[in-house]
């Protein structure tokens, strides 16, 4: 598996689209919708739902590159620093919250404890720590897989068994199901497909095929959600398992192909520059700006429709996350080391 991004590649292009989908998926004004819930739920299920597992999958893919533990340790140190920094940033932005670390550890609310700090890092709150700490766990497991291929096989098998049995719950101590499923896919890809791809010439993708290829993974995922939405197993474990199976051919296509498409090159560049920052900052932008922007529009235009305010908040948070990412890339690029 090659973790080096080519100038034009499907993964980085989809990371940009996925980051934008994550923003809209997490729009907090969703809970204010009344008559529009059914239509918004359908859009989330068909169009937006692929984005979170895709971020986990690409992260696992680049973690399990076959590098030695010595080469992975600096990356783990960087991730640990990012977890601490962004958790502190989010907590300071919510310093008035009676349930936050600031109020409970530095204020009068009381109740500060080691478990509270750990839970906050694992995002039993509003920080991006859930993703970053899961990513840190992936790199730790990648170190183990780098020591011995047998350990990789054991971890991949254990992950699939745990998923199929439904024994791993969201927000678990070490890895949530998304991280676990994508980890197992990355391991299987590294052990089974990547060595064979390296021995084959890359497939040339004509420019007209780029957009259909970018749409393929989200469309198949969305279609499966519609067809299987009434199945209890599918709502939790099943969708993670199927997404993992879809990822195997996707990773093979991405690593085994190349294209001169200018569109793909532009989307790839934007994905490398903005996707991680949008993902990290979007919840903060919603908390600080989204509801306020919707309230301003409501007062100025006398808009009462919940769907209109939902859309305003989504646009405001998206633009703010883009601006904050661009500013951070210019002033402190180390904070966006994705």
């Amino acid at each position: 598996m090659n973790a080096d991004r080519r100038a034009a590649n499907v993964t980085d292009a989809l990371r940009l689209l996925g980051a934008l989908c994550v923003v809209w998926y997490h729009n907090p004004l969703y809970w204010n919708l009344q008559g529009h819930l059914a239509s918004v739920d359908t859009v989330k299920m068909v169009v937006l739902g692929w984005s979170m597992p895709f971020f986990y999958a690409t992260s696992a893919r680049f973690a399990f590159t076959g590098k030695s533990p010595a080469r992975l340790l600096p990356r783990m140190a960087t991730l640990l620093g990012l977890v601490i920094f962004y958790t502190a940033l989010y907590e300071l932005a919510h310093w008035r919250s009676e349930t936050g670390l600031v109020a409970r550890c530095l204020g009068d609310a009381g109740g500060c404890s080691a478990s509270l700090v750990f839970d906050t890092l694992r995002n039993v709150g509003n920080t991006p720590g859930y993703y970053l700490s899961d990513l840190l766990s992936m790199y730790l497991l990648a170190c183990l897989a780098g020591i011995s291929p047998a350990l990789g096989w054991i971890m991949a098998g254990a992950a699939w068994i745990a998923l199929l049995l439904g024994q791993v719950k969201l927000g678990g101590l070490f890895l949530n199901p998304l991280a676990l499923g994508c980890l197992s896919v990355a391991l299987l890809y590294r052990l089974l497909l990547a060595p064979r791809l390296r021995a084959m010439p890359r497939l040339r993708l004509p420019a007209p095929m780029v957009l259909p290829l970018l749409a393929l993974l989200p469309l198949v995922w969305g279609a499966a959600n519609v067809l299987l939405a009434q199945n209890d197993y599918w709502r939790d474990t099943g969708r993670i398992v199927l997404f993992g199976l879809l990822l195997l051919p996707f990773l093979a296509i991405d690593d085994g192909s190349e294209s001169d498409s200018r569109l793909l090159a532009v989307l790839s560049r934007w994905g490398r520059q903005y996707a991680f920052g949008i993902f990290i900052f979007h919840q903060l932008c919603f908390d600080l700006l989204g509801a306020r922007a919707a309230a301003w529009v409501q007062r100025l235009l006398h808009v009462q429709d919940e769907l209109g305010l939902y859309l305003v908040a989504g646009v405001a948070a998206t633009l703010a996350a883009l601006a904050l990412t661009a500013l951070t890339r210019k002033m402190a690029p180390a904070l966006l080391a994705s």
Side-chain angles (χ1 to χ4, degrees), residues 159-286:
W160 277 107
I161 292 173
L163 282 171
L164 291 170
L165 295 178
Q167 295 302 308
V168 183
K169 304 302 181 184
L170 188 64
L173 175 66
F174 194 51
L175 281 171
N176 71 46
L178 287 178
L180 188 65
C182 296
L183 177 152
S184 62
V185 170
L187 283 167
L188 290 175
Y189 179 77
R190 172 192 162 190
L191 295 169
L192 294 178
L193 294 180
R196 292 166 175 79
L197 286 174
R198 284 194 291 267
M200 299 171 59
R202 279 184 176 158
L203 176 68
R204 298 287 299 178
L205 286 178
M209 289 183 60
V210 169
L211 281 179
L213 182 60
L214 290 177
L216 182 62
L217 187 68
L219 286 178
V220 173
W221 167 250
N225 274 333
V226 172
L227 293 174
L228 301 172
Q230 303 305 314
N231 185 287
D232 290 338
Y233 178 80
W234 172 253
R235 283 200 296 268
D236 297 314
T237 301
R239 64 174 61 194
I240 298 173
V241 172
L242 180 64
F243 194 84
L245 296 176
L246 291 174
L247 281 171
L248 285 173
F250 167 80
L251 294 178
I253 291 172
D254 191 38
D255 273 353
S257 66
E258 57 185 17
S259 176
D260 296 328
S261 168
R262 294 180 62 184
L263 173 63
L264 185 61
V266 170
L267 292 177
S268 298
R269 184 176 72 252
W270 290 349
R272 288 189 295 274
Q273 292 176 345
Y274 294 106
F276 185 74
I278 294 171
F279 191 104
I280 291 297
F281 291 130
H282 77 277
Q283 190 61 56
L284 187 65
C285 293
F286 269 126

Side-chain angles (χ1 to χ4, degrees), residues 18 87 116 141 165 177 265 298 333:
T87 299
L116 174 65
L141 295 175
L165 295 178
Q298 187 176 29

Side-chain angles (χ1 to χ4, degrees), residues 23-24 27 29 281-282 284-297 308-324:
V23 177
W24 287 91
N27 190 328
L29 292 192
F281 291 130
H282 77 277
L284 187 65
C285 293
F286 269 126
D287 293 344
L288 300 181
L289 182 64
R292 289 181 174 87
W296 294 335
V297 171
L309 299 178
Y310 172 87
L311 295 175
V312 169
V315 171
T318 301
L319 294 177
L322 280 168
L324 191 54

Side-chain angles (χ1 to χ4, degrees), residues 75-150:
R75 176 62 173 149
M76 294 172 63
T78 299
L79 283 170
L80 180 59
L82 292 178
V83 170
I84 295 172
F85 175 82
Y86 283 116
T87 299
L89 176 65
Y90 269 67
E91 286 297 317
L92 288 174
H94 298 84
W95 64 275
R96 292 184 178 181
S97 172
E98 295 183 356
T99 60
L101 282 180
V102 175
R104 297 180 65 176
C105 294
L106 301 178
D108 299 327
C112 185
S113 65
S115 63
L116 174 65
V117 174
F118 178 81
D119 287 345
T120 301
L121 293 174
R122 287 293 296 137
N123 190 44
V124 186
N126 294 316
T127 78
Y130 71 98
Y131 171 67
L132 294 174
S133 56
D134 278 336
L135 185 53
L136 182 61
S137 298
M138 288 182 190
Y139 272 85
L140 176 61
L141 295 175
C143 285
L144 297 177
I147 295 173
S148 168

Side-chain angles (χ1 to χ4, degrees), residues 49-85:
W50 66 278
S51 53
M52 280 297 295
F54 181 79
F55 263 94
Y56 272 98
T58 55
S59 298
R61 173 193 182 187
F62 291 121
F64 287 87
T65 57
K67 293 181 178 179
S68 65
R71 297 183 63 187
L72 294 174
L73 289 176
R75 176 62 173 149
M76 294 172 63
T78 299
L79 283 170
L80 180 59
L82 292 178
V83 170
I84 295 172
F85 175 82

